[in-house]
């Protein structure tokens, strides 16, 4: 079967992540349907000639008696089950209103407009519920911010600490990437910044850095270079030692994305989207090819390379979680 034919056979689904007060609305699938008995994010099939936004509004009104007032793209991904393939276009919805007399309490299991069980669940607790496999990436996307800041490399600890502390004050997800420092100098430099990890900033270490266990314990996870993405021993040891921590990776092409899928990573960066000053000789992907590659990923994708913070919305239109950057994010 050709890739074109596979695309024609996919079920295109519009999905809503309805969010309020750090909680999201989930519903339970009837026992007799595909993936029955599992919780899911509400939504339904996009009809021929129908826009995603129109399908989303129609399905959510039918299923929940909720009118969507505004929404924005959250994540777009394909998933292949044994018996069918789906393309999920998921939108984050924070402005909505109920109609038809439906009132959904915040902390109890209720019944939707079609008789299905529904519940508001804290985003931080979503992993406690059983979802279809395709929904795992949506959960990741809900728990990740739209901006992933990456530190530049610095030759001196003083420069590194000063610049990285700026990132830690501004962003929720930060990668420390100090390839020029090593040994005790690197350890002491990183140690000065780890207090932010306890203040709601998630810090990931670049896999090129050799750091002691006590610092890894304080971090949120590991970001794999494209070279370390294929280091099975390193990844297996990290997962065994730190099973609850995030693992992300740098990807540049379809092969790397498919390997990241196989490893079931939490998110990836995909680059370069546009021409960069640091690697002017490397041809950029461009937004359209970026979007096609992003669709292959089974986890959230950050656009990297020649992008600005202002490109978050643009990245979302092509299925990305948001943007990542080094020079434009300080």
């Amino acid at each position: 079967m050709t890739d074109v034919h596979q695309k024609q056979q996919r079920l295109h689904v519009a999905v809503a992540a309805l969010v309020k007060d750090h909680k999201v609305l989930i519903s339970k699938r009837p026992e007799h349907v595909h993936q029955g008995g599992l919780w899911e994010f509400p939504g339904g099939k996009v009809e021929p000639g129908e826009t995603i936004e129109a399908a989303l509004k129609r399905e959510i009104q039918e299923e929940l008696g909720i009118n969507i007032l505004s929404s924005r793209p959250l994540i777009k991904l394909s998933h292949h089950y044994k018996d069918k393939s789906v393309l999920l276009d998921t939108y984050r919805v924070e402005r909505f209103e109920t109609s038809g007399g439906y009132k959904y309490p915040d902390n109890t299991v209720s019944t939707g407009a079609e008789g299905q069980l529904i519940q508001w669940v804290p985003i931080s607790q979503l992993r406690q519920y059983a979802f279809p496999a395709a929904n795992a990436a949506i959960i990741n996307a809900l728990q990740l911010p739209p901006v992933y800041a990456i530190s530049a490399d610095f030759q001196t600890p003083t420069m590194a600490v000063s610049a990285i502390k700026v990132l830690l004050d501004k962003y929720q997800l930060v990668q420390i990437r100090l390839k020029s420092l090593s040994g005790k100098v690197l350890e002491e430099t990183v140690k000065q910044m780890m207090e932010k990890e306890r203040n709601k900033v998630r810090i990931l270490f670049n896999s090129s850095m050799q750091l002691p266990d006590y610092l890894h314990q304080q971090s949120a996870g590991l970001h794999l270079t494209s070279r370390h993405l294929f280091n099975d021993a390193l990844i297996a040891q990290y997962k065994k030692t730190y099973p609850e921590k995030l693992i992300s990776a740098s990807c540049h092409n379809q092969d790397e994305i498919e390997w990241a899928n196989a490893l079931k990573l939490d998110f990836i960066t995909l680059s370069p989207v546009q021409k960069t000053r640091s690697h002017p000789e490397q041809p950029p992907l461009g937004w359209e090819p970026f979007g096609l590659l992003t669709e292959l990923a089974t986890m959230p994708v950050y656009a990297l390379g020649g992008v600005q913070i202002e490109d978050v919305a643009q990245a979302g239109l092509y299925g990305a979680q948001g943007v990542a950057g080094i020079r434009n994010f300080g």
Side-chain angles (χ1 to χ4, degrees):
M1 183 181 292
T2 65
D3 288 342
V4 172
H5 187 58
Q6 286 178 336
K7 284 190 176 183
Q8 290 174 340
Q9 297 301 310
R10 286 186 304 185
L11 178 65
H12 191 182
V13 179
V15 180
L18 293 143
V19 178
K20 71 170 184 177
D21 300 328
H22 305 293
K23 295 180 180 179
V24 62
L25 188 67
I26 60 175
S27 60
K28 201 165 192 178
R29 296 180 64 80
E31 295 290 342
H32 65 278
V33 303
H34 180 260
Q35 301 286 303
L38 299 178
W39 291 91
E40 67 175 354
F41 299 97
K45 181 181 177 182
V46 179
E47 300 293 345
E50 190 177 32
T51 66
I52 301 163
E53 292 87 346
L56 197 67
K57 289 182 178 181
R58 174 180 54 76
E59 289 286 347
I60 298 307
Q61 172 57 233
E62 292 173 357
E63 289 185 24
L64 300 169
I66 287 177
N67 297 323
I68 294 176
L69 303 179
S70 66
S71 62
R72 62 176 174 83
L74 177 66
I75 187 172
K76 181 178 182 179
L77 70 146
S78 298
H79 190 88
H80 306 290
Y81 295 102
K82 290 182 179 180
D83 52 347
K84 69 165 62 177
S85 294
V86 293
L87 173 61
L88 303 180
D89 258 306
T90 305
Y91 278 60
R92 185 179 178 114
V93 182
E94 295 182 349
R95 293 187 64 244
F96 53 89
E97 60 185 10
T98 58
S99 63
Y102 291 99
K103 301 293 182 183
Y104 299 126
D106 284 355
N107 301 308
T108 61
V109 176
S110 308
T111 304
E114 296 179 340
Q116 75 279 33
L117 296 179
I118 64 170
Q119 186 172 359
W120 288 101
V121 175
I123 292 174
S124 61
Q125 296 178 19
L126 282 170
R127 298 186 192 281
Q128 299 176 17
Y129 293 76
F131 284 85
N135 284 209
I138 300 174
I139 294 173
N140 278 350
L142 282 167
Q143 295 178 341
L144 291 169
V147 175
Y148 180 32
I150 304 170
S151 76
D153 195 12
F154 296 96
Q155 302 297 318
T156 70
T158 301
M159 293 174 61
V161 170
S162 176
I164 294 174
K165 280 190 173 180
V166 172
L167 299 182
L168 298 177
D169 286 337
K170 292 176 64 175
Y171 302 108
Q172 297 173 296
L173 186 66
V174 176
Q175 179 195 148
I176 296 181
R177 176 180 170 272
L178 298 174
K179 299 184 177 184
S180 296
L181 304 180
S182 61
K184 277 292 183 182
V185 173
L186 174 62
E187 179 183 342
E188 290 301 318
T189 302
V190 173
K191 183 179 177 181
Q192 292 183 54
M193 295 173 287
M194 291 314 295
E195 63 184 31
K196 289 291 185 181
E197 174 70 17
R198 296 187 289 273
N199 294 325
K200 307 300 183 182
V201 179
R202 283 180 284 180
I203 299 173
L204 278 70
F205 296 148
N206 188 278
S207 61
S208 65
M209 302 190 306
Q210 299 296 316
L211 291 166
D213 177 68
Y214 80 91
L215 287 177
H216 279 293
Q217 289 179 2
Q218 295 178 44
S219 75
L222 187 72
H223 184 93
L224 302 167
T225 64
S226 54
R227 177 170 62 88
H228 286 149
L229 174 63
F230 295 93
N231 189 327
D232 294 344
L234 182 152
I235 297 169
Q237 182 60 43
Y238 190 86
K239 285 186 173 182
K240 180 180 179 181
T241 308
Y242 311 107
E244 301 302 319
K245 292 189 181 296
L246 297 171
I247 304 181
S248 58
S250 298
C251 294
H252 306 86
N253 53 52
Q254 181 173 340
D255 288 343
E256 291 176 351
I257 291 172
E258 290 177 346
W259 188 242
N261 289 344
L263 293 172
K264 298 182 179 179
L265 300 187
D266 295 290
F267 67 91
I268 62 173
T269 61
L270 179 57
S271 67
V273 180
Q274 302 190 80
K275 196 168 185 178
T276 65
R277 288 181 294 168
S278 57
H279 298 88
E281 76 288 349
Q282 192 169 355
L285 294 169
W287 282 111
E288 291 289 345
F290 169 86
L292 293 174
L293 286 171
T294 295
E295 196 175 303
L296 299 175
T298 58
M299 76 287 290
V301 178
Y302 285 95
L304 173 65
V307 297
Q308 311 278 341
I309 293 176
E310 292 76 14
D311 292 321
V312 165
Q314 173 84 344
L317 294 176
Y318 290 93
Q321 173 77 18
V323 296
I326 304 171
R327 286 170 178 78
N328 299 327
F329 288 45

